Amino acid sequence: MPARATDARRAAVLGSPIAHSLSPVLHRAAYEELGLTDWSYDRFEIDESALPAFFEGLGPEWAGLSLTMPLKRAVIPLLDQISETAAAVEAVNTVVLTEDGRRTGDNTDIPGMVAALREHGIEQVDSAAVLGAGATASSALAALARICAGEVVVYVRSEARAAEMRQWGERLEVEVRTADWADAARALRAPLVFATTPAGTTDDLAQAVPERPATLFDVLYHPWPTALAARWSMAGGAVVGGLDLLVHQAVLQVEQMTGRAPAPLEAMRRAGEKALAER
């Protein structure tokens, strides 16, 4: 069980680079709203080589950790158990630490994606497209496993990436077909499009947005909007952004780490929007 709400507890986000992380803003906003005045949430620049020593130094005051790249897979050997969701994509972004020293890993990115889509009225789709083939793309496939009834076409730049995404499809029981990135404009006709690539990668696709686009889930949040998201919105399509994902996955983290539910979604979103506006 998580610690009592009256206990002074610590949490933090770990990764490298980490200075850009909005997690402290979101979690601190949640603590304030929940009246957890003795709770603190920090950020630490930690890479894979430094992670074991950091874990060794954790005391009983620690309630949880958020993990970003490059630690989501490196942390798994350091944990006592991981959830089925995290095991499905071999990635942990949340660690809950109990007072008896037990370390449990979870992945809130996947249910966070589903929750963000649900908030925008997307409960189920017949097919979908994914732009990109990195770690976020595999999380997108895991989310689509829950809401997509048919084929998912993944647009990639190499056959090696294509093979990898087909393997993820088999593992996650998603019907995956891969296509060359040169044909990525075709993805924009899908009922749901996941853009999972780094900043700038999809800018050239903005001019290919159809007259009546459906739903775009662009996982970036800074800079925002992306060229693709801006054009999509102008054309009247629904846009789910990276901040939506960030807030929804953080809500689940706060609930797991503090034992308090529901976490204050709107307060966390306002804090995130304010922080981004000030950048």
Side-chain angles (χ1 to χ4, degrees):
M1 290 292 292
R4 298 182 301 276
T6 53
D7 291 343
R9 303 302 301 278
R10 295 188 68 183
V13 60
L14 315 180
S16 182
I18 201 61
H20 68 287
S21 176
L22 279 181
S23 291
V25 171
L26 303 180
H27 284 252
R28 290 168 186 168
Y31 298 165
E32 181 176 358
E33 193 75 10
L34 292 170
L36 301 177
T37 57
D38 290 337
W39 283 61
S40 64
Y41 190 101
D42 302 298
R43 62 164 66 91
F44 292 92
E45 181 84 16
I46 301 288
D47 62 13
E48 299 103 319
S49 63
L51 189 61
F54 185 90
F55 264 73
E56 286 301 313
L58 295 174
E61 75 277 12
W62 282 89
L65 300 168
S66 307
L67 300 169
T68 185
M69 298 303 291
L71 305 178
K72 293 183 179 183
R73 188 164 293 174
V75 73
I76 293 176
L78 304 176
L79 304 177
D80 296 301
Q81 69 180 73
I82 64 173
S83 68
E84 289 184 9
T85 303
V89 290
E90 297 179 0
V92 166
N93 78 327
T94 307
V95 177
V96 176
L97 305 160
T98 57
E99 290 181 308
D100 62 4
R102 191 161 183 79
R103 306 164 175 173
T104 302
D106 193 15
N107 186 310
T108 63
D109 285 333
I110 295 162
M113 287 178 176
V114 174
L117 286 165
R118 185 179 297 122
E119 185 179 40
H120 284 76
I122 309 299
E123 298 277 352
Q124 189 169 23
V125 291
D126 293 330
S127 61
V130 176
L131 298 170
T136 306
S138 61
S139 291
L141 286 180
L144 287 167
R146 304 183 181 193
I147 66 167
C148 184
E151 181 182 70
V152 178
V153 184
V154 183
Y155 291 81
V156 300
R157 293 186 183 278
S158 71
E159 178 51 39
R161 287 291 199 180
E164 187 175 320
M165 296 312 294
R166 289 193 293 267
Q167 289 173 357
W168 277 117
E170 292 178 9
R171 179 170 179 168
L172 297 166
E173 298 183 349
V174 178
E175 184 184 345
V176 169
R177 176 167 64 86
T178 55
D180 191 271
W181 184 264
D183 297 322
R186 295 182 181 179
L188 308 186
R189 304 171 194 163
L192 173 60
V193 181
F194 265 94
T196 70
T197 54
T201 308
T202 61
D203 287 359
D204 290 344
L205 294 175
Q207 60 188 3
V209 172
E211 287 187 12
R212 295 183 179 180
T215 300
L216 171 69
F217 195 148
D218 194 324
V219 302
L220 295 173
Y221 63 84
H222 184 71
W224 185 261
T226 63
L228 179 60
R231 182 68 187 88
W232 197 279
S233 184
M234 285 177 59
V239 176
V240 186
L243 183 61
D244 295 311
L245 168 58
L246 198 62
V247 171
H248 277 283
Q249 65 83 26
V251 159
L252 297 170
Q253 289 185 333
V254 168
E255 291 174 354
Q256 290 189 33
M257 293 178 191
T258 68
R260 300 280 291 273
L265 172 68
E266 290 308 322
M268 295 168 70
R269 193 199 312 275
R270 287 194 301 271
E273 289 172 344
K274 181 174 183 290
L276 286 176
E278 292 172 350
R279 286 188 174 180

